Amino acid sequence: MVNISLVRKSNLDFKLSGHASSLVAVFVGATSGIGLGTLKQYAKYAQGSKAYIIGRSKSATQPLLDRLQESNPTGTFEFIQTEVSLIKNVDLACEEIKAKEKKVDILFLSPGFLAWGGRIESTEGIDVPHALRYYSRLRFAYNLLPLLTESPSPRVISILAGGKESAIDLNDLEVHNDFTFAKAAANGTTQTTLAFEELAKSYPSVTFIHKYPGFVDTGVIGRFLSTITGPLAIPATVAKWAILPIVNWFSMTIDEAGERGLFLATSARYPPSKPKTDFVGVELPQGLEVANTSVIKDGVSNGVYRLGSLDDSAPDGDVLPGYRLDNVGKTVWEETQAVWDRAISRAA
Ligand SMILES: NC(=O)c1ccc[n+]([C@@H]2O[C@H](COP(=O)([O-])OP(=O)(O)OC[C@H]3O[C@@H](n4cnc5c(N)ncnc54)[C@H](OP(=O)(O)O)[C@@H]3O)[C@@H](O)[C@H]2O)c1
């Protein structure tokens, strides 16, 4: 476990390091929750840096943008208004960033929501929550890799459920059959890790982090319970008003989740497989070591980290070793590209 005091020390060292002011970060899903917590810490510690914030409503986000600017007067905070569950919108947002930037250092991905019931199909034919947790996030990563590889220490961070991978139906990765929100969420988790491992093979100078945040008091569970209808609506309402407040009492604050988010984005604890330069992040404080990657072959780590809530590497689990032997990552990656192609052709 990484103690929060070490996280704070590292973030302070980052602020004083001289690297902070030159950073360019892209935040998707940072208008609330863990992404917002991380964006606030980024603004606080990376004085003079730049951030793109991609979200649904500029007018709703304007007060936040004003506060970020106040906390970082020399920084630049640019909002791109779009609905990121559509792949074509992800492409347009990335084009806008590519036209303005020569590099991206941090891509922080945390959009999403949980909803009871059946598939909520987008006009591109993808279940919207599944797009937000996986297909759109990976499209951002894929599109921005040319800019990420220009950074001395690039990071792609997806806040989802690293370490919770489970068996998936390789013939139904989009979950068209027997859909449940839990099945789709489980698929997205395993897809994320396998896709990151595939990307890391081609982009060894990039760090890929898939993190399970634990319970963070963002309201995500309450909003989910509100979507439950039918006979389960009554127990869901009881859970929302009677049990959830107790759970929230023990959950992590958004501020701490944000401090940890910035730590993942900047610490030398998470180097890529083949760093481009000697700089792989803020030097480790005493008492911390480099984390274990998801694969270490012939002494070489793959630059992919599956992390738990306190930023330790998760054990390998039951399914991933067999999936790697069977080259399932390639299947997942090919299916991902096919889904993108279908989405784009529908949007045209
Ligand atoms: N919080 C936890 O305890 C917890 C635990 C395990 C895993 N996770 C996962 O971690 C991720 C982040 O969680 P969080 O609690 O920080 O979430 P959150 O507070 O609910 O924030 C979600 C973000 O997703 C965006 N979003 C929601 N619906 C959208 C839509 N239809 N189109 C575009 N954007 C949409 C929101 O934008 P708007 O501001 O426009 O609504 C917001 O920026 C999620 O994938 C969640 O499932 C969270």
Side-chain angles (χ1 to χ4, degrees):
M1 115 178 188
V2 181
N3 192 290
I4 190 64
S5 61
L6 295 179
V7 168
R8 289 181 182 140
K9 166 143 188 21
S10 178
N11 289 346
L12 200 57
D13 289 349
F14 160 69
K15 181 178 182 175
L16 305 173
S17 69
H19 293 285
S21 65
S22 63
L23 291 189
V24 178
V26 176
F27 287 89
V28 187
T31 48
S32 69
I34 299 162
L36 172 59
T38 303
L39 173 60
K40 283 184 177 167
Q41 297 298 325
Y42 176 81
K44 180 174 163 190
Y45 286 103
Q47 292 290 314
S49 62
K50 187 159 189 179
Y52 289 89
I53 299 133
I54 299 162
R56 292 190 281 188
S57 168
K58 169 126 196 213
S59 58
T61 314
Q62 194 57 54
L64 166 67
L65 296 173
D66 295 342
R67 284 199 302 278
L68 293 171
Q69 195 68 67
E70 239 171 69
S71 77
N72 188 338
T74 53
T76 308
F77 299 93
E78 206 165 305
F79 191 81
I80 300 178
Q81 178 171 304
T82 193
E83 165 56 63
V84 295
S85 62
L86 293 176
I87 303 300
K88 74 164 183 212
N89 291 348
V90 174
D91 287 357
L92 288 171
C94 292
E95 285 311 315
E96 196 174 328
I97 296 165
K98 280 171 159 174
K100 291 179 182 162
E101 301 301 331
K102 291 198 166 55
K103 70 167 173 86
V104 165
D105 302 281
I106 299 164
L107 173 60
F108 197 91
L109 302 160
S110 59
F113 68 96
L114 291 172
W116 187 258
R119 285 171 65 85
I120 308 168
E121 285 224 351
S122 74
T123 51
E124 295 179 343
I126 310 176
D127 174 56
V128 172
H130 203 41
L132 292 173
R133 75 171 66 90
Y134 176 69
Y135 290 103
S136 295
R137 292 190 193 194
L138 266 289
R139 185 72 170 186
F140 270 106
Y142 180 71
N143 284 346
L144 294 178
L145 275 165
L147 293 190
L148 284 157
T149 50
E150 294 302 317
S151 164
S153 180
R155 310 256 160 127
V156 176
I157 299 162
S158 187
I159 303 297
L160 191 64
K164 309 281 178 206
E165 298 83 356
S166 55
I168 51 178
D169 180 352
L170 296 179
N171 297 310
D172 186 27
L173 289 170
E174 278 189 87
V175 196
H176 284 286
N177 306 323
D178 304 324
F179 181 93
T180 64
F181 83 90
K183 193 173 166 194
N187 265 37
T189 298
T190 308
Q191 284 171 291
T192 300
T193 295
L194 292 173
F196 275 1
E197 290 185 356
E198 280 305 293
L199 280 176
K201 288 177 192 165
S202 306
Y203 299 92
S205 70
V206 180
T207 290
F208 295 89
I209 295 177
H210 179 191
K211 168 160 173 161
Y212 172 67
F215 282 107
V216 181
D217 186 8
T218 66
V220 72
I221 304 297
R223 287 189 288 282
F224 165 66
L225 291 170
S226 301
T227 67
I228 298 179
T229 53
L232 289 176
I234 292 171
T237 307
V238 172
K240 183 174 168 181
W241 297 112
I243 301 170
L244 195 56
I246 299 167
V247 174
N248 284 341
W249 183 259
F250 294 100
S251 63
M252 189 181 281
T253 63
I254 292 176
D255 277 348
E256 178 171 344
E259 290 175 302
R260 290 183 178 278
L262 182 67
F263 173 73
L264 299 186
T266 54
S267 168
R269 183 167 159 79
Y270 309 103
S273 174
K274 290 190 186 145
K276 247 176 98 166
T277 65
D278 288 343
F279 178 71
V280 289
V282 180
E283 208 175 309
L284 290 172
Q286 213 165 16
L288 266 193
E289 289 174 356
V290 170
N292 284 334
T293 51
S294 68
V295 175
I296 302 171
K297 198 173 166 194
D298 303 328
V300 180
S301 58
N302 70 343
V304 178
Y305 299 86
R306 301 160 52 247
L307 302 178
S309 58
L310 299 179
D311 302 316
D312 266 338
S313 302
D316 216 8
D318 296 335
V319 299
L320 291 176
Y323 278 178
R324 292 187 193 110
L325 284 176
D326 294 341
N327 220 358
V328 169
K330 186 165 176 277
T331 309
V332 164
W333 185 240
E334 285 170 358
E335 189 266 359
T336 303
Q337 290 175 305
V339 170
W340 290 341
D341 289 348
R342 189 200 65 212
I344 296 298
S345 70
R346 279 206 197 179

